[in-house]
Amino acid sequence: MLKKLSVRTSKRVEFLEITGEVRKFIGESGIREGIVVIYVPHTTCGVTVNEHADPSVVSDMTKHLGKLVPEDAGYSHIEGNSDAHIKTSIIGSSLTLIINNGSLMLGTWQGVFLCEFDGPRTREIYLKIIAG
Amino acid sequence: MLKKLSVRTSKRVEFLEITGEVRKFIGESGIREGIVVIYVPHTTCGVTVNEHADPSVVSDMTKHLGKLVPEDAGYSHIEGNSDAHIKTSIIGSSLTLIINNGSLMLGTWQGVFLCEFDGPRTREIYLKIIAG
Amino acid sequence: MLKKLSVRTSKRVEFLEITGEVRKFIGESGIREGIVVIYVPHTTCGVTVNEHADPSVVSDMTKHLGKLVPEDAGYSHIEGNSDAHIKTSIIGSSLTLIINNGSLMLGTWQGVFLCEFDGPRTREIYLKIIAG
């Protein structure tokens, strides 16, 4: 089972929660047990799991990543978004989660986030379920 | 095949090796070929593969991560553990390994580590095997 | 379906593109739908997805990772390659990609890279396909 999602980000750097879309796809698939791979086909945008209850967690995260990898740090890449490429490889483009009893198996405080590092843009996300 | 493990960490920041538990579950499952997903349902604790022969490797790693993401750096999140959330997304919450001929396929020097960033606590780990 | 690849890196730090090798294995397998796990059995070398069109992207990435995790930063590990171990856990040792209609499902600008952090060396890569 494969699905392509499209989402719209609204800032240059933004963590956008997509947990609901992942849960919806699992429900539609009818799969009870297996895994779901969440894949981002972009090079300036990643995917992660982190706390979704308090929005200050992801704002601290985007701010601190901006300190570690500043927008301007004497990069050579002419498009001026090397920081976004570097953050993408630090965070990752692919995530594998577990499906149990027909539901996404997350911890209480966990949400799934698309990590926009060079927005605002329309971004695609691929969701792939393997039953088993 | 799904298993929930529970482990106890003993420090605020600690890499705790869980390779033996993963190997044990693969043995119990009877699966000869496939993959195993190791998933941490917490937002201040991750999972990684690295050297398990010399403990100075993981101590250098925890120290250097502490320099990159200090415990106190003017974060907004009121619980005071934003560093732990940030490190979790840098290291990752999910890991996919290969099972070959009934065994976990690791390199000679590799071990699997739960990465505690806000302990000491009792932590859960989900292990999911997909045969194939 | 499992395959072991061997590649030769030529510098201490280098991102070596292996997209062609991954595509070739998918073709050989005859699998039309599923996932492929790319696994590096080393502790000073990782795997990532990033832009393969402009080589300045990966050179900016290796340079900036070198600033974040310098080769010499008072580490204890006696082999003198702690920076390489730390970068490996930041980038990751395992990657899960999607196979659709017999092809690797990447974005237009994406390539798969072995991330050498302590070369030059001969490195192994394990590729594992799960159909589904």
Side-chain angles (χ1 to χ4, degrees):
Chain A
M1 298 280 299
L2 178 68
K3 186 176 188 172
K4 293 187 190 185
L5 284 183
S6 192
V7 297
R8 181 78 199 164
T9 58
S10 59
K11 296 185 198 166
R12 180 160 197 269
V13 177
E14 176 187 5
F15 279 31
L16 183 73
E17 192 175 359
I18 58 167
T19 316
E21 284 86 344
V22 179
R23 290 196 193 279
K24 193 179 160 215
F25 176 51
I26 293 170
E28 288 163 4
S29 76
I31 302 295
R32 305 291 299 168
E33 307 296 333
I35 57 175
V36 56
V37 175
I38 302 166
Y39 185 75
V40 177
H42 304 285
T43 57
T44 54
C45 163
V47 62
T48 197
V49 165
N50 217 299
E51 180 174 329
H52 65 151
D54 179 356
S56 71
V57 170
V58 295
S59 75
D60 283 341
M61 202 172 305
T62 55
K63 267 180 227 163
H64 197 77
L65 284 172
K67 284 188 201 172
L68 291 175
V69 190
E71 191 170 344
D72 189 350
Y75 307 113
S76 339
H77 183 47
I78 203 164
E79 289 181 48
N81 61 355
S82 278
D83 64 317
H85 288 287
I86 296 166
K87 288 171 181 174
T88 298
S89 279
I90 290 174
I91 293 297
S93 305
S94 177
L95 197 59
T96 304
L97 306 178
I98 301 169
I99 301 168
N100 177 229
N101 202 20
S103 296
L104 186 61
M105 211 179 176
L106 292 180
T108 313
W109 307 103
Q110 288 183 321
V112 184
F113 292 89
L114 178 93
C115 307
E116 175 63 83
F117 295 123
D118 192 31
R121 299 205 203 185
T122 299
R123 298 295 201 173
E124 280 196 292
I125 303 157
Y126 303 158
L127 304 178
K128 170 76 181 175
I129 294 179
I130 301 282
Chain B
M1 299 281 298
L2 178 67
K3 185 176 188 172
K4 293 187 191 185
L5 283 183
S6 192
V7 296
R8 181 77 202 166
T9 58
S10 58
K11 296 185 198 166
R12 182 161 196 268
V13 177
E14 175 186 6
F15 279 32
L16 183 73
E17 192 174 0
I18 58 167
T19 317
E21 283 85 346
V22 178
R23 289 197 193 279
K24 191 178 162 216
F25 175 51
I26 293 170
E28 289 164 3
S29 77
I31 302 295
R32 305 292 299 169
E33 307 296 333
I35 57 174
V36 56
V37 175
I38 302 168
Y39 186 74
V40 177
H42 303 285
T43 57
T44 54
C45 161
V47 63
T48 198
V49 165
N50 217 300
E51 179 174 330
H52 64 151
D54 178 356
S56 70
V57 170
V58 296
S59 75
D60 282 342
M61 200 171 306
T62 55
K63 268 182 225 162
H64 197 76
L65 284 173
K67 285 188 199 171
L68 291 175
V69 190
E71 190 170 345
D72 190 351
Y75 305 114
S76 338
H77 183 47
I78 203 165
E79 290 181 48
N81 61 354
S82 278
D83 65 318
H85 289 286
I86 296 166
K87 289 172 180 174
T88 297
S89 278
I90 290 174
I91 293 296
S93 306
S94 178
L95 196 60
T96 304
L97 306 178
I98 300 170
I99 301 167
N100 178 229
N101 202 20
S103 294
L104 186 61
M105 213 180 174
L106 291 181
T108 314
W109 307 105
Q110 288 183 321
V112 183
F113 292 89
L114 178 93
C115 307
E116 175 63 82
F117 295 124
D118 192 29
R121 298 206 204 184
T122 299
R123 297 297 200 172
E124 280 196 293
I125 303 157
Y126 302 158
L127 304 178
K128 170 75 182 175
I129 293 179
I130 300 281
Chain C
M1 299 280 299
L2 177 68
K3 185 176 187 172
K4 293 186 189 185
L5 285 183
S6 192
V7 298
R8 180 78 200 165
T9 59
S10 59
K11 295 184 198 166
R12 179 160 197 269
V13 177
E14 175 186 7
F15 279 31
L16 183 73
E17 193 175 356
I18 57 168
T19 316
E21 284 86 344
V22 179
R23 289 197 193 280
K24 192 178 162 215
F25 175 52
I26 294 170
E28 289 164 2
S29 76
I31 302 295
R32 305 292 299 168
E33 307 296 335
I35 56 174
V36 56
V37 176
I38 302 167
Y39 186 75
V40 177
H42 303 285
T43 56
T44 54
C45 163
V47 63
T48 197
V49 166
N50 217 300
E51 181 175 328
H52 65 151
D54 179 354
S56 70
V57 170
V58 295
S59 74
D60 282 342
M61 201 172 306
T62 55
K63 267 181 225 162
H64 197 77
L65 284 173
K67 283 187 202 174
L68 291 176
V69 190
E71 190 170 344
D72 189 351
Y75 305 113
S76 339
H77 182 47
I78 203 164
E79 290 181 48
N81 61 355
S82 278
D83 64 319
H85 288 287
I86 296 167
K87 289 170 180 176
T88 298
S89 278
I90 289 175
I91 293 297
S93 306
S94 178
L95 197 59
T96 304
L97 306 177
I98 300 169
I99 301 167
N100 178 229
N101 201 21
S103 295
L104 186 61
M105 212 181 176
L106 291 180
T108 314
W109 307 105
Q110 288 182 321
V112 184
F113 293 89
L114 178 93
C115 308
E116 174 63 82
F117 296 123
D118 192 30
R121 298 206 202 184
T122 299
R123 296 297 201 171
E124 280 196 292
I125 304 158
Y126 302 158
L127 304 178
K128 170 76 182 174
I129 293 179
I130 302 281

